[in-house]
Amino acid sequence: MSWYDDLEPPYLNVAAYRGSPLRVLAGPGTGKTFAIMRRVSRLLEEGENPKNILLVTFTRMAAKELVRKVSKLGVAGGDDVTATTLHSFSFSMLQREQVIEATDRTPRPLLNHRSKYEMEPLLHDLKYQGLGGIRDLRKNIRAYESAWAKLQRDEPGWVQTDQEKEFEQKLISWLKFHRSMLIGELIPIALQYLRYNPASPYRMKFKHVIVDEYQDLNKAEQVLIDLLAEDSNLSIAGDDDQSIYGFKYAHPDGIVTFDSSHSNTHDEILVDCKRCPKLIVQVAKELISANNPKRYPKKLHEMSDSVDGEIQVLQWNGPRKEAEGIAKIVKCYVENEGITLGEVLILAQRGDIADTIFKELEKLNLEAIDYYNEEIFKGNMLAQERFSLLNLIANPEDRVALRSWLGQGNVDWRANPYSKLRNYCEESGDSPFEALEKMASGRLNLVGCQPLIDRYQELIDTKPSIIDKTGLELVEGCFPEEIDACKKLRELSLEIIRENTTPKELFKTLMEKISQPEIPQKRSEIGIMSLHKAKGLEADLVIIPTCVDGLIPSFDERKTPIEQEQQLEEDRRLFYVGIKLGQRKF
């Protein structure tokens, strides 16, 4: 098949346009991915080296899927196109250019903003240094990860106030001491590297840079793309009406105003919704039309040959009754309407709601996957402790894991005594492990640090019974069946364990599964996840539970009226994304 076979405008225009830059404004279900795929196919058929093409997508799964579709067309070189997320690309670039090595830090994720786990000791240590409350500290970390460009008009890369400067210095100091790195740091570090190294091969590596879901990039990510594409043919695609990542400072203005900062922008607009039933398109249009008139006007068209579709709005008296009702509805559609379990998506906005629904589905023998795995540690101190134990067996010098172990079980993560330990280490050159060993053996006395010594001794006493185990014995040692709090960790471990799996292998795989869960396009079980995670998926039956004021739409009385209105608009966009995912909605 040639790239232009059966291709008509506007898809033909997207694939064939040879100028730069190209902006593709595409509503949901209008064939954006199909058009990008044909554009890549054209480049390859015309003899472009696949290594000269950079395809940036929002998720790893989307990158794999697009390469698979191009390869399926039989185009030579399709498997060799660089298709990646911007974070993955930045990590690879910084490793190859030995930038990460120079920082003496490891970009492993600190688990996680919401779960009171490895991020929590960091936050409490910063709070103890007088940098503000936990909520403000979380916001500052997100701002730091966006290179301090919180608004579309901000120039990324520089702090804007003395308070931000102090915060950044103390945050980086903590990360350096613990030889760690926030995954979100990869973008500002990559941006700084490319800015200050104009001769870097990465500023001239690609002839074609194609970016999908551009509306989900914040300003720092947009500038990073511009540096990678400064001598390239740049194409971007996205939809301001699907901009749902305001919490990381991505704004719909990023794609709406793209032409004001990129001269000679050529636009192609896709509005024929080929995926959704007519009723769904009509309701989605009505919903999104309530948003700010500054949005780019794209009036979706329902297709004449589409089915009518079905929408039902149902109410129950409380979340438990709702969960029971949802499980019965799913069972009814599976048994009577020919819908398979993999064609069902349940989009819950909180982990506890997802868990309640999951349990009701289990009662009816309906197999489901709860993709809230990243909250596996939320409120579960024992699971946190056992995972830290596995980490410290796998990586005996991991300072972040040690910091978590030392603080677990205390409301402020023992920030006071830990600050004394850290100060001593920074003055003496001892590692935290060396200092604790000296204290435990009586060779060092730091006033007020006995709680840390007690926790360290617990670690020393526990490790020998597990340290030499592999395979199933390792799982039994770390996450025994009798500890109910470790049930999810145990289940995940049993899915991946082999006879000789080592602690390092088990920890690495669990870390990937928890921090970067893959959600396949094709599923054999009911998927339960957030609206954010479901973006880009499709299903025949989509259920959005607990649509109540305060949850969806959300409300934060601490925000200004303008901020509240902006949040309401984003919640409309989020709901817009959700209702466009499939055939039947509730």
Side-chain angles (χ1 to χ4, degrees):
M1 172 183 282
S2 180
W3 69 268
Y4 52 79
D5 285 351
D6 302 320
L7 207 57
E8 297 179 353
Y11 309 102
L12 177 62
N13 303 341
V14 172
Y17 185 69
R18 297 177 185 277
S20 178
L22 167 67
R23 175 173 60 176
V24 180
L25 291 150
T30 57
K32 171 172 57 70
T33 301
F34 170 77
I36 291 174
M37 177 183 69
R38 290 299 187 95
R39 184 171 180 81
V40 174
S41 298
R42 174 182 68 79
L43 294 172
L44 294 173
E45 284 187 27
E46 292 177 351
E48 187 62 78
N49 185 333
K51 296 188 181 301
N52 291 338
I53 302 172
L54 173 63
L55 179 57
V56 178
T57 63
F58 197 67
T59 66
R60 292 180 299 161
M61 186 62 69
K64 292 177 184 176
E65 184 68 10
L66 194 53
V67 169
R68 185 190 69 80
K69 287 180 178 179
V70 172
S71 300
K72 194 174 180 180
L73 293 175
V75 184
D79 291 331
D80 297 322
V81 171
T82 302
T84 179
T85 66
L86 198 54
H87 281 81
S88 294
F89 175 83
S90 297
F91 179 46
S92 175
M93 176 183 71
L94 294 173
Q95 272 198 319
R96 287 179 179 272
E97 298 300 291
Q98 298 182 316
V99 177
I100 289 179
E101 183 179 347
T103 68
D104 194 30
R105 293 193 281 155
T106 303
R108 78 160 179 84
L110 280 76
L111 293 168
N112 124 337
H113 280 292
R114 293 177 293 178
S115 67
K116 290 191 176 181
Y117 189 25
E118 290 181 341
M119 286 296 298
E120 287 297 304
L122 163 61
L123 292 168
H124 281 278
D125 287 348
L126 295 176
K127 179 183 177 182
Y128 184 76
Q129 294 180 62
L131 294 177
I134 298 298
R135 181 174 180 268
D136 290 335
L137 289 169
R138 285 198 178 100
K139 288 177 65 176
N140 277 337
I141 286 177
R142 287 194 290 268
Y144 167 71
E145 291 175 330
S146 69
W148 299 107
K150 292 176 278 188
L151 301 173
Q152 184 61 31
R153 63 175 179 269
D154 291 340
E155 182 63 26
W158 293 276
V159 295
Q160 300 176 21
T161 67
D162 290 341
Q163 289 82 0
E164 290 175 350
K165 184 176 182 179
E166 181 186 12
F167 172 83
E168 181 176 274
Q169 289 173 340
K170 291 185 176 180
L171 171 64
I172 292 175
S173 175
W174 192 98
L175 294 168
K176 283 184 175 180
F177 177 77
H178 293 86
R179 296 177 181 173
S180 61
M181 182 180 289
L182 304 173
I183 287 297
E185 276 189 287
L186 290 168
I187 298 301
I189 292 174
L191 179 58
Q192 184 182 47
Y193 164 71
L194 289 177
R195 270 180 169 159
Y196 294 131
N197 292 274
S200 167
Y202 281 88
R203 290 185 65 159
M204 54 198 81
K205 182 177 178 65
F206 301 103
K207 292 183 180 179
H208 301 273
V209 177
I210 302 172
V211 185
D212 194 13
E213 304 292 358
Y214 189 86
Q215 78 281 347
D216 292 330
L217 302 184
N218 61 34
K219 185 61 177 295
E221 293 163 335
Q222 294 163 19
V223 173
L224 179 57
I225 288 292
D226 287 343
L227 290 172
L228 293 170
E230 62 183 354
D231 291 322
S232 306
N233 187 302
L234 174 62
S235 307
I236 70 161
D239 178 13
D240 57 302
D241 288 334
Q242 297 184 74
S243 177
I244 58 173
Y245 291 94
F247 60 84
K248 76 178 191 78
Y249 301 108
H251 304 286
D253 286 352
I255 192 168
V256 171
T257 62
F258 177 86
D259 57 334
S260 66
S261 57
H262 297 77
S263 58
N264 302 315
T265 296
H266 175 79
D267 283 338
E268 292 292 339
I269 302 176
L270 310 181
V271 292
D272 290 336
C273 187
K274 301 174 181 294
R275 184 179 69 201
C276 300
K278 297 174 185 176
L279 183 58
I280 304 302
V281 176
Q282 293 164 6
V283 169
K285 284 192 295 186
E286 186 67 24
L287 169 69
I288 207 64
S289 67
N291 264 4
N292 194 314
K294 289 191 299 184
R295 52 181 285 273
Y296 197 99
K298 296 176 300 300
K299 193 168 184 178
L300 285 179
H301 296 162
E302 55 266 34
M303 305 302 291
S304 59
D305 58 350
S306 294
V307 298
D308 291 335
E310 178 185 346
I311 294 176
Q312 293 188 38
V313 179
L314 305 177
Q315 288 183 308
W316 283 275
N317 186 20
R320 175 65 63 183
K321 290 293 184 182
E322 180 182 56
E324 293 174 358
I326 286 171
K328 291 176 182 178
I329 286 172
V330 172
K331 188 174 181 66
C332 177
Y333 273 101
V334 168
E335 292 182 347
N336 302 317
E337 300 291 334
I339 290 180
T340 65
L341 297 181
E343 293 170 337
V344 180
L345 282 178
I346 300 174
L347 309 181
Q349 281 305 89
R350 283 207 320 245
D352 56 342
I353 297 169
D355 187 59
T356 302
I357 295 171
F358 180 86
K359 290 175 181 176
E360 293 301 322
L361 292 169
E362 269 191 324
K363 291 178 183 178
L364 298 181
N365 298 315
L366 297 169
E367 191 172 0
I369 295 181
D370 181 355
Y371 286 97
Y372 273 85
N373 276 343
E374 81 278 14
E375 295 196 7
I376 199 169
F377 301 111
K378 187 173 183 180
N380 191 339
M381 285 293 179
L382 192 51
Q384 295 170 21
E385 180 179 278
R386 303 302 291 189
F387 193 70
S388 294
L389 175 63
L390 171 62
N391 190 358
L392 287 164
I393 291 171
N395 306 289
E397 298 299 317
D398 190 307
R399 295 187 180 190
V400 173
L402 177 65
R403 174 66 188 97
S404 296
W405 176 275
L406 294 175
Q408 283 156 5
N410 185 264
V411 66
D412 67 353
W413 293 79
R414 300 186 176 92
N416 183 356
Y418 188 78
S419 70
K420 298 176 182 178
L421 172 65
R422 181 181 161 192
N423 288 339
Y424 167 80
C425 291
E426 290 179 329
E427 291 173 0
S428 68
D430 283 353
S431 75
F433 297 91
E434 291 169 336
L436 285 163
E437 186 60 36
K438 287 181 180 180
M439 286 194 287
S441 62
R443 290 176 291 148
L444 174 66
N445 180 30
L446 295 180
V447 176
C449 288
Q450 188 60 45
L452 302 185
I453 300 173
D454 294 342
R455 283 293 292 166
Y456 178 71
Q457 193 59 55
E458 286 183 52
L459 176 65
I460 297 304
D461 293 342
T462 307
K463 285 176 70 174
S465 64
I466 303 173
I467 198 164
D468 294 323
K469 296 184 183 299
T470 60
L472 184 59
E473 287 188 348
L474 174 63
V475 177
E476 294 291 351
C478 290
F479 315 121
E481 189 171 9
E482 59 268 23
I483 301 181
D484 190 61
C486 294
K487 180 181 178 181
K488 286 189 176 182
L489 280 172
R490 179 182 174 85
E491 290 173 350
L492 282 175
S493 300
L494 292 176
E495 289 176 10
I496 59 181
I497 203 75
R498 302 187 310 277
E499 182 178 354
N500 296 316
T501 297
T502 65
K504 190 175 286 290
E505 291 170 337
L506 178 59
F507 172 75
K508 182 176 182 293
T509 308
L510 280 178
M511 190 69 141
E512 290 174 353
K513 277 185 167 288
I514 292 168
S515 63
Q516 303 176 52
E518 295 278 10
I519 303 178
Q521 293 282 341
K522 300 296 182 182
R523 302 165 300 279
S524 57
E525 305 90 356
I526 299 165
I528 309 175
M529 65 196 75
S530 69
L531 282 158
H532 284 93
K533 280 193 174 179
K535 187 174 181 180
L537 301 179
E538 298 178 11
D540 283 346
L541 176 60
V542 177
I543 300 174
I544 306 177
T546 324
C547 297
V548 296
D549 283 343
L551 185 61
I552 180 73
S554 58
F555 178 75
D556 188 343
E557 63 183 8
R558 293 168 294 188
K559 291 184 176 181
T560 67
I562 291 177
E563 290 173 333
Q564 290 174 2
E565 180 60 30
Q566 290 171 341
Q567 183 61 56
L568 178 58
E569 290 194 355
E570 178 155 320
D571 283 345
R572 285 196 191 104
R573 295 194 295 268
L574 183 60
F575 203 73
Y576 177 78
V577 167
I579 65 176
K580 296 290 291 175
L581 295 182
Q583 295 281 356
R584 299 177 173 92
K585 317 288 173 179
F586 294 87

